[in-house]
Amino acid sequence: MNYYTISQLAEQFDISTRTIRYYEERGLISPIRTDSGQRLYTKKDRAVLKLILRGKRFGFSLEEIHEMISLFDNDRTGRKQLEKTIAYGEQKLKEVTERIEDLMQLKQEMESILADFRERLQKLEETE
Amino acid sequence: MNYYTISQLAEQFDISTRTIRYYEERGLISPIRTDSGQRLYTKKDRAVLKLILRGKRFGFSLEEIHEMISLFDNDRTGRKQLEKTIAYGEQKLKEVTERIEDLMQLKQEMESILADFRERLQKLEETE
DNA sequence: ATTTTAGTTTACGTTTACGTAAAAGTCAAT
DNA sequence: ATTGACTTTTACGTAAACGTAAACTAAAAT
C-alpha cells in the first residue's frame, strides 16, 4: 500500500493543506505519521476526504459530516450500537431523499423559467 | 393584494427577523415601506424568501442565491440580456443536475452500508 | 553541501451569516 | 392615554471554516 502526502491530496481535490489539517483538527480524518511527524494518507483517508467534500457541497456542516462518517466506522460491534447506527443511518437517508426531491423540484422550476425565456427570445427574433 | 409583516414571515419560515433584514441588506429581497418606514412583504417577496431558504439548504451561498434570484427578475428585456440570462440559467441548471446525480450516488452508498449493518445485526440475533 | 521545496505547530486574522443589545419610534388594545 | 407588543437603525459580538504569517524542521533537488 502506498501513501499520499498532504499536498498531493490538496492538489487532487483543489483545496488547501490548511483545510485538510483543519478537518483533522475537527476529528474528521486521522492520517498516520512518519517518524519525523509528516502526515501520510491512505486510500481510505482519501475516500473519507472525498466524502467530506461531497457533504460540504450539499450544505452539511462539518459536525454533521463527522456524524455521518462515523457510520463508516466499522468498530460498532455491539447489538445496541448496531441498532443505534441503523436508526441514525435511516434518519440521514431520509434527509438525503428529501433533499433529492427538493432539488428535483428546483430543477423543474428552473427548466420552466428557462423555457419561458427561450420563448421570449424566439418572439424577439421573429419580429426582427 | 395584502401584505405580510416581517414577524409574520419570520414565524412562517421559523427564522429570525434579523435574518430577513440581513437578506435585504445583501440585496436579496426588497420589501416596500409604509409611510412610517415599516417593511411590507408581498406574496412575491414571500416566494423569493422561500427560494432563498431552499438555496441555503442546498449549500448555496447568499451570493450564489443572489445571482440565481436575478434569473427571476423579469426586467431583462433586451436580446443580449436574454441570451446572457439563458446561458447563465443553463449553467446553473447543469450544476443542479450534477448535484442531484451526486446526491443519488450518496443515497446508494448509504443504502448499501445500511444493508450491511442490517445483515450484521441479523447474524448477531441468530446466535442469540 | 546547500539551496529549494514541502512539511509542522502555534496563533492571530478574516469572511459569512447571522445573534444580541440599545435607543427610539409606532401600532394595537384596553 | 397609556401599556405592551412590534418595528426601526446602529453597532458590537460570535461560531464555523478556513486564510495567512511566523518560526522551525525535514526532504528533495542541484
Side-chain angles (χ1 to χ4, degrees):
Chain A
M1 204 172 193
N2 57 3
Y3 299 99
Y4 302 99
T5 69
I6 194 167
S7 59
Q8 281 172 347
L9 280 191
E11 196 188 349
Q12 285 176 37
F13 292 109
D14 196 30
I15 56 182
S16 73
T17 57
R18 174 68 173 99
T19 297
I20 300 179
R21 291 196 192 96
Y22 180 68
Y23 293 159
E24 180 177 352
E25 211 177 307
R26 295 290 307 272
L28 296 184
I29 193 169
S30 306
I32 57 167
R33 302 287 187 127
T34 65
D35 289 351
S36 67
Q38 275 186 234
R39 294 170 172 83
L40 290 182
Y41 299 85
T42 66
K43 293 247 170 207
K44 209 169 177 180
D45 291 326
R46 205 192 105 107
V48 168
L49 184 52
K50 205 170 176 179
L51 248 156
I52 297 172
L53 296 176
R54 185 159 54 184
K56 289 231 65 192
R57 283 201 302 281
F58 302 141
F60 289 111
S61 72
L62 290 183
E63 190 50 41
E64 287 176 293
I65 296 171
H66 189 138
E67 285 179 345
M68 295 181 70
I69 283 176
S70 63
L71 248 186
F72 292 76
D73 262 353
N74 284 356
D75 302 336
R76 339 201 117 214
T77 176
R79 177 177 166 159
K80 278 272 174 209
Q81 274 300 315
L82 267 177
E83 277 168 352
K84 260 187 79 176
T85 304
I86 289 172
Y88 177 78
E90 278 168 350
Q91 167 64 24
K92 280 295 162 188
L93 188 60
K94 202 175 142 197
E95 283 177 37
V96 168
T97 305
E98 275 166 14
R99 280 200 196 204
I100 289 175
E101 279 161 12
D102 218 358
L103 259 182
M104 286 175 75
Q105 200 191 324
L106 176 62
K107 187 182 170 181
Q108 291 280 322
E109 285 173 25
M110 288 177 73
E111 274 168 348
S112 98
I113 288 168
L114 262 178
D116 186 45
F117 275 105
R118 286 209 190 84
E119 206 174 309
R120 281 200 235 167
L121 186 59
Q122 198 66 33
K123 280 183 183 159
L124 263 188
E125 283 168 350
E126 280 170 18
T127 41
E128 230 165 40
Chain B
M1 204 173 191
N2 57 2
Y3 300 99
Y4 303 99
T5 69
I6 193 165
S7 59
Q8 283 172 345
L9 280 191
E11 195 188 351
Q12 285 176 35
F13 292 108
D14 196 32
I15 56 181
S16 73
T17 56
R18 174 68 173 98
T19 296
I20 300 179
R21 290 196 193 94
Y22 180 67
Y23 293 159
E24 180 178 349
E25 210 177 307
R26 295 290 309 271
L28 296 183
I29 193 169
S30 306
I32 57 167
R33 302 287 186 127
T34 67
D35 290 351
S36 68
Q38 276 187 232
R39 293 170 173 83
L40 290 182
Y41 298 85
T42 65
K43 292 249 171 203
K44 208 169 178 182
D45 291 327
R46 205 191 106 107
V48 168
L49 184 52
K50 206 169 177 180
L51 248 156
I52 296 171
L53 296 176
R54 186 160 53 183
K56 290 230 64 192
R57 284 201 303 282
F58 302 140
F60 289 112
S61 73
L62 290 184
E63 190 50 41
E64 288 176 291
I65 296 172
H66 189 140
E67 286 179 345
M68 295 180 70
I69 282 177
S70 63
L71 248 187
F72 292 76
D73 262 354
N74 284 355
D75 301 337
R76 339 200 118 215
T77 176
R79 179 176 165 162
K80 278 274 173 206
Q81 274 301 316
L82 267 176
E83 277 168 351
K84 261 186 80 175
T85 304
I86 289 172
Y88 178 78
E90 279 168 348
Q91 167 63 24
K92 280 294 162 187
L93 188 61
K94 202 175 144 196
E95 283 177 38
V96 168
T97 304
E98 275 166 14
R99 280 200 196 203
I100 290 175
E101 279 161 12
D102 218 1
L103 259 183
M104 286 175 76
Q105 199 192 323
L106 176 63
K107 188 181 171 183
Q108 290 280 321
E109 286 172 24
M110 290 178 72
E111 274 168 349
S112 100
I113 289 167
L114 264 178
D116 185 47
F117 276 105
R118 287 209 188 85
E119 205 175 308
R120 282 201 235 167
L121 185 60
Q122 198 65 34
K123 280 184 183 158
L124 263 187
E125 281 168 350
E126 280 170 18
T127 43
E128 227 163 42

